[in-house]
Amino acid sequence: MSSSMNIHLLGHIHRIGRKARSLNTLFTIDKSEFMGIGTLGVRSWVCAWIIRGSAGFYAGQPPLNRVAFQRHSSEVMNRHLNDPETRFLVFKDGKPLMKKDESGSILFLTKNQLGDDELGKEFGVAPSDASSETKKYYETSRLPHTQPPLVFLGIDDRQSPTTNSSSKVDHLNPQGPAYFALDAQGDTLNWDELLERENGEWGDARSSGNNMSPWDAGVYAQGRALVDWNARNKFCPACGSPTYSLWAGWKRNCLSSVQPIEGKEPCFSTKGLHNFAYPRTDPVIIMGILDSTGEKMLLGRQKSWPKGMYSCLAGFIEPGETFEDATRREVLEEAGIEVGPVRYSSSQPWPFPSNLMVGTFGRAKDGQTIRLDLDNELEDAQWFPKSLLQSIISSPSGSTFSKKDYKQLDDKAQSHHDQESSAALAPSEKKPDELVAKEGELGLSRVPPSTAIAGQLIRQWARGELDLVSKL
Amino acid sequence: MSSSMNIHLLGHIHRIGRKARSLNTLFTIDKSEFMGIGTLGVRSWVCAWIIRGSAGFYAGQPPLNRVAFQRHSSEVMNRHLNDPETRFLVFKDGKPLMKKDESGSILFLTKNQLGDDELGKEFGVAPSDASSETKKYYETSRLPHTQPPLVFLGIDDRQSPTTNSSSKVDHLNPQGPAYFALDAQGDTLNWDELLERENGEWGDARSSGNNMSPWDAGVYAQGRALVDWNARNKFCPACGSPTYSLWAGWKRNCLSSVQPIEGKEPCFSTKGLHNFAYPRTDPVIIMGILDSTGEKMLLGRQKSWPKGMYSCLAGFIEPGETFEDATRREVLEEAGIEVGPVRYSSSQPWPFPSNLMVGTFGRAKDGQTIRLDLDNELEDAQWFPKSLLQSIISSPSGSTFSKKDYKQLDDKAQSHHDQESSAALAPSEKKPDELVAKEGELGLSRVPPSTAIAGQLIRQWARGELDLVSKL
């Protein structure tokens, strides 16, 4: 036993070394996850290569430096706002402003290009005679509350990274251009003129991500989630009064905090414990379920999905659940399969509108029959052998989806359950005008691309990367 | 290298075998996480004991069978509602109904004990002539919308578990008493009488969990999060109209879906992609940060915390972040320390009001100085050696907090940042009336108990349980 385990681990470490280099050219790899082989004594760390694929798509690698503590200061935020180097990412109804002639390139604007009318007022401060308690209600506020949402995203400090080993740049004031996201409201004609002048166009809400660089995709995801949250949460869930933005777009309060609202009682959300004020992030579990041999994976499809596409099962995590519990519940509900051990793999932000995908692997118990009649969410679910998945992921058309496919998925992604499943599909690397599944409606011919976490889970398993020594 | 790794792993597996048995008596262990040692050939699974501590506190072990697909059926829900075996967990302003003379025992009521007035109407259905589209707006609805929130929690199927190996019980209809959570509204006098009659009392919102069994704590956490969400989200964030409950308490829609609202435009939330309708779960990252030797852990304290208490750093995950990114950002913001590799450990629901704690371990980069002046959230942060933590967790007073301590923490847990930190502390196993820290205000004398995920992270590390072969 001991010697075979030994061979097992070494075999993996050697293989991983090769794989890491070749994968590096295919995927965005989180550099900080790479470690050398440490001393392997009894009391020391087990360190080996940890491979992370592009599950970080939409997370940005490296991410913007969010300098979250700067959001509270109107002074600092207004300095960024007025800096000619600052860049603005603009959305209209969730659609990003893109360069017209460069597929996948965000058209970031400067303040000069934008114009004061489109941007709105500077961030406000409290009246000078306000108490320190009252001042909190005005921190980097956007009043009057009817102005278009404006959100500080962070600093692009890639040119002079703030590291502790360098004393040149202070963590308090990272250097580099600031980024904001802005919701395009107001006169449509003005925006039409601006688009004409700057050679921009409103991209597609979902498939614009298609050809974005991973870095741009990270800025896009953060901006989209925050602008969307601000634009949609215009009223207080506690009392129905309007809300206003503060903390440079990262908080919304009931307007009754700063002015009396006619015909309304004092709102309970102005004091006490609640979570109305902060952006929400909805965690979704998505899982690669293996049979007890580890040689088959459970994949399913919904009726509304593009022809031939299967993906990992998925579902929203409910209050009172761990990731592991949620994984077991969802697989039972969707496919009637009981799952034993569950292991976390990776997470991926998914800004449609504000999901956080949590990828797990789980092992099914033996001797079970798939059944779809519990929650009737899936059209089909099957155990697929590793060899079949290997051939699909190595085929050029195995993760290729047409514009029509995306539209089909977008049109359906209007309900809660469809949100879960749409997250199974991410922007494709290739876009043929049309692609016909080679097999029948229920035959597997496509799986999500590697930019989606489901595509990552399937590839990690099919490529034999699951048994890594992934310890600190 | 190869032989020392071999010894290393075997040493752990042997030690783990012993530890698992002894830990079993101390902690609630998720049985399904236990696996034997598998065949360790090159192509097979690496299987070893995986130890999970009681991070599952508030998750319920085993959890209720939520039979989520039953929520859509008014018929099934009303059958449960009228079943004399069904149990109701009642909350008043977030405080659970407890047995008066049994510390830590929830007083579950039957429908008979409750009375029709307190319970409200049965779940409703759509008008018989409604279209199939309209019918969706009435699925297990609670109308008129002014009735007290009522939430279906699930079935306690512990007596006849629904397993695939048994054909006796169908997964569609698990057998056992159903559980609902109810918000106590209406005439206070009636509730006073009921409490008198049934010998109950309203427990403390937070510290009631103190002496609950892990199973009760799971029901409590789910019920509290859902009742709280229903009670607080009375107005539509899109248009400010009232909302109503459907899906037996798991969904809320704008009332304009089912009746015209005077003076309001049609609400955009009645169609299109949004997430207003579903309970929110706010993921919080909480991390055990180790130095490069693995022998020291970074802990911090806020000024408002009980004397001598230090805990893991923590913070809300923001839109556009992975767990790993959020871990690195928070540690930098709070302590000025950069973190390299990050690894997920476990998750824990935390129903105050609706957090999901995500525990990670991370390794700090070398040669850094702690600084607190970035976000100024912590009063102190220090590297503590393993030996000190070992002595504290083995001391009887090392995780003991008085009622006064809890109150201090509760009083402060009214803001977003304090919510993060309050989650560091969970119900204590012991309750001396008063406990005086043995060291000065900034000396470490206490850490969170093992019912809190921070207590778990600290103990896992201090007890040398981090290097397990925790693979599928």
Side-chain angles (χ1 to χ4, degrees), chain A residues 267-382:
Chain A
C267 176
F268 76 72
S269 81
T270 58
K271 49 176 181 274
L273 189 65
H274 66 90
N275 56 8
F276 304 144
Y278 304 95
R280 71 182 268 175
T281 299
D282 299 315
V284 173
I285 204 88
I286 184 160
M287 43 263 180
I289 301 301
L290 310 176
D291 73 347
S292 61
T293 67
E295 292 299 313
K296 288 182 179 170
M297 186 180 265
L298 180 66
L299 301 178
R301 63 170 272 111
Q302 293 196 11
K303 202 163 186 167
S304 60
W305 287 4
K307 213 172 171 180
M309 173 185 157
Y310 280 73
S311 185
C312 296
L313 310 193
F316 281 92
I317 295 165
E318 297 189 345
E321 282 186 326
T322 63
F323 299 149
E324 295 77 10
D325 290 336
T327 299
R328 294 190 191 100
R329 179 182 53 75
E330 281 288 345
V331 178
L332 182 70
E333 286 174 10
E334 296 193 352
I337 296 293
E338 290 171 35
V339 172
V342 171
R343 177 184 149 209
Y344 167 80
S345 168
S346 58
S347 54
Q348 178 186 33
W350 194 256
F352 308 106
S354 61
N355 298 342
L356 174 62
M357 309 302 295
V358 181
T360 60
F361 286 104
R363 202 169 55 176
K365 295 178 185 169
D366 277 331
Q368 302 182 83
T369 309
I370 292 172
R371 56 185 289 186
L372 309 173
D373 65 330
L374 294 173
D375 68 2
N376 292 295
E377 228 179 276
L378 299 178
E379 178 190 32
D380 188 34
Q382 291 183 42

Side-chain angles (χ1 to χ4, degrees), chain A residues 185-216:
Chain A
Q185 297 183 353
D187 195 333
T188 309
L189 279 180
N190 288 357
W191 283 105
D192 288 348
E193 271 175 41
L194 192 149
L195 261 60
E196 180 76 25
R197 191 170 67 235
E198 306 296 344
N199 202 27
E201 63 182 359
W202 301 116
D204 186 75
R206 180 74 61 104
S207 61
S208 288
N210 269 10
N211 300 306
M212 278 186 196
S213 73
W215 191 86
D216 278 13

Side-chain angles (χ1 to χ4, degrees), chain A residues 1-2 4-10 13 30 32-33 35 37 40-42 44-47 52 58-59 61 66 68-69 71 162-164 170-172 222 225-226 232-240 250 268 272-276 278-283 290 292-294 317-325 328-329 332-333 336 338 340-341 343-344 347 349 352 354 356 358 361 363 368 371 373-375 413-414 416 419 466-468 470-472, chain B residues 1-2 4-10 13 30 32-33 35 37 40-42 44-47 52 58-59 61 66 68-69 71 162-164 170-172 222 225-226 232-240 250 268 272-276 278-283 290 292-294 317-325 328-329 332-333 336 338 340-341 343-344 347 349 352 354 356 358 361 363 368 371 373-375 413-414 416 419 466-468 470-472:
Chain A
M1 184 179 85
S2 60
S4 68
M5 178 198 266
N6 191 27
I7 290 166
H8 175 85
L9 289 170
L10 283 183
I13 289 167
D30 183 338
S32 59
E33 296 289 346
M35 298 173 284
I37 309 288
L40 293 162
V42 172
S44 72
W45 300 94
V46 178
C47 300
R52 288 288 153 86
Y58 285 134
Q61 295 306 332
R66 298 185 177 214
F69 41 85
R71 296 170 193 157
T162 49
T163 62
N164 257 319
D170 190 325
H171 279 307
L172 263 177
Q222 191 199 154
L226 265 292
R232 287 167 187 270
N233 289 268
K234 287 182 180 153
F235 294 88
C236 173
C239 78
W250 287 85
F268 76 72
L273 189 65
H274 66 90
N275 56 8
F276 304 144
Y278 304 95
R280 71 182 268 175
T281 299
D282 299 315
L290 310 176
S292 61
T293 67
I317 295 165
E318 297 189 345
E321 282 186 326
T322 63
F323 299 149
E324 295 77 10
D325 290 336
R328 294 190 191 100
R329 179 182 53 75
L332 182 70
E333 286 174 10
E338 290 171 35
R343 177 184 149 209
Y344 167 80
S347 54
F352 308 106
S354 61
L356 174 62
V358 181
F361 286 104
R363 202 169 55 176
Q368 302 182 83
R371 56 185 289 186
D373 65 330
L374 294 173
D375 68 2
Q414 300 297 316
H416 197 55
Q419 265 185 56
L466 255 191
D467 279 351
L468 304 186
S470 56
K471 315 211 121 300
L472 267 184
Chain B
M1 184 179 84
S2 60
S4 68
M5 178 197 267
N6 191 27
I7 291 165
H8 175 84
L9 289 170
L10 283 183
I13 289 167
D30 183 338
S32 59
E33 296 288 347
M35 298 173 284
I37 309 289
L40 293 162
V42 172
S44 72
W45 300 94
V46 178
C47 300
R52 288 286 154 86
Y58 285 134
Q61 295 305 334
R66 297 184 178 215
F69 41 85
R71 297 170 192 157
T162 49
T163 61
N164 258 319
D170 190 326
H171 279 307
L172 264 176
Q222 191 199 154
L226 265 291
R232 287 167 188 270
N233 289 268
K234 287 183 180 153
F235 293 88
C236 173
C239 78
W250 287 84
F268 75 73
L273 189 65
H274 66 90
N275 57 8
F276 304 144
Y278 304 95
R280 71 182 269 175
T281 299
D282 300 315
L290 310 176
S292 60
T293 67
I317 294 163
E318 296 189 346
E321 281 186 326
T322 62
F323 300 143
E324 295 77 9
D325 290 336
R328 294 190 191 100
R329 179 182 52 75
L332 182 70
E333 286 174 11
E338 290 172 35
R343 177 184 150 209
Y344 166 79
S347 54
F352 308 106
S354 61
L356 174 62
V358 180
F361 286 104
R363 202 168 54 176
Q368 302 181 82
R371 56 185 289 187
D373 64 331
L374 294 173
D375 68 2
Q414 300 296 316
H416 197 54
Q419 265 185 56
L466 256 191
D467 279 351
L468 304 187
S470 56
K471 315 213 119 298
L472 268 183

